[in-house]
Amino acid sequence: MDYATAAWHVETGQLAYAIPFLRSAVELLGPTYSRNAALYRARLAEVLMKAGNVEEACAEAVASASAAKGMTSVRLADRLRSVASLAARVDTVMARDCVEELRSLGVSARKLGTV
């Protein structure tokens, strides 16, 4: 329910309202749902990055990419690439480190302008 509510807020452009619901959705998933948790965490990272919260977005993206090792999910890979691309556009040490860490975990940024 929280993830669906967050999706609605994202679709209506209300990123700040979506973030608490995404956080809750991530927290409520148990260890048996590792694929969903990685996907939800990647979505949270993407929304946080778009909302300007680079530090938390990078932490969530790296956690998602770490958890996703060995998983095959096009949606998850696309979300993580989106976060890497958004981070690549931010000129801070933290964002550059995030892009490098994601790259080391197998996530590459899309070319600029293709997000």
Side-chain angles (χ1 to χ4, degrees):
M1 184 65 114
D2 285 342
Y3 191 79
T5 303
W8 181 82
H9 283 301
V10 170
E11 287 299 315
T12 59
Q14 301 175 49
L15 300 180
Y17 290 111
I19 292 168
F21 288 101
L22 286 167
R23 284 185 184 132
S24 177
V26 168
E27 289 172 14
L28 291 173
L29 284 174
T32 21
Y33 299 102
S34 57
R35 183 178 173 155
N36 283 355
L39 180 62
Y40 288 15
R41 184 163 260 147
R43 180 63 166 160
L44 174 58
E46 186 179 38
V47 172
L48 286 164
M49 188 66 75
K50 288 178 179 178
N53 190 336
V54 176
E55 183 176 342
E56 188 179 357
C58 287
E60 291 294 343
V62 169
S64 175
S66 295
K69 282 187 172 182
M71 290 183 193
T72 55
S73 168
V74 173
R75 282 189 305 164
L76 177 56
D78 284 347
R79 290 221 189 277
L80 290 172
R81 275 193 298 273
S82 174
V83 174
S85 296
L86 292 167
R89 295 177 183 179
V90 178
D91 189 24
T92 66
V93 171
M94 179 178 297
R96 287 189 294 276
D97 289 348
C98 177
V99 171
E100 285 306 311
E101 192 161 1
L102 289 172
R103 186 174 294 129
S104 76
L105 292 166
V107 178
S108 61
R110 294 179 183 147
K111 293 180 182 176
L112 293 180
T114 61
V115 173

